[in-house]
Amino acid sequence: MAGFLDRAKEQAQRGLTQGKQKIDEVQAQRAGGDLLKRLGAAYYAERRGSGSPEATQQALQALESHIAAHGDAFLHS
């Protein structure tokens, strides 16, 4: 009986760990998408004359930092 409970506990722990990893993945993808949208908005504003090259550069740097930390999988989905 104790062996069964130990296996069940291990399986539950694995499930929790996998769930947390998936949540972290989804949050990183969502953040990447938001940064990409921010870059697009900054570039659009710059091209229309209401934005600045500095704002576009800052948005690009933030996106590149995110990609360095989390990868670029959000660009392929």
Side-chain angles (χ1 to χ4, degrees):
M1 182 76 162
F4 171 76
L5 292 177
D6 288 340
R7 284 194 307 269
K9 182 178 176 182
E10 287 174 21
Q11 204 168 20
Q13 189 62 40
R14 257 195 318 270
L16 287 173
T17 301
Q18 289 173 347
K20 182 175 178 354
Q21 288 172 343
K22 186 64 177 172
I23 288 171
D24 291 345
E25 241 178 71
V26 169
Q27 287 175 336
Q29 286 185 351
R30 187 172 292 152
D34 290 345
L35 289 169
L36 191 58
K37 189 184 298 185
R38 184 175 142 207
L39 174 61
Y43 178 75
Y44 180 74
E46 180 183 348
R47 297 293 292 175
R48 290 199 60 214
S50 60
S52 69
E54 293 81 18
T56 304
Q57 187 62 34
Q58 287 175 351
L60 179 60
Q61 287 173 344
L63 180 62
E64 288 175 342
S65 293
H66 179 80
I67 289 171
H70 304 285
D72 65 354
F74 69 95
L75 293 171
H76 308 290
S77 56

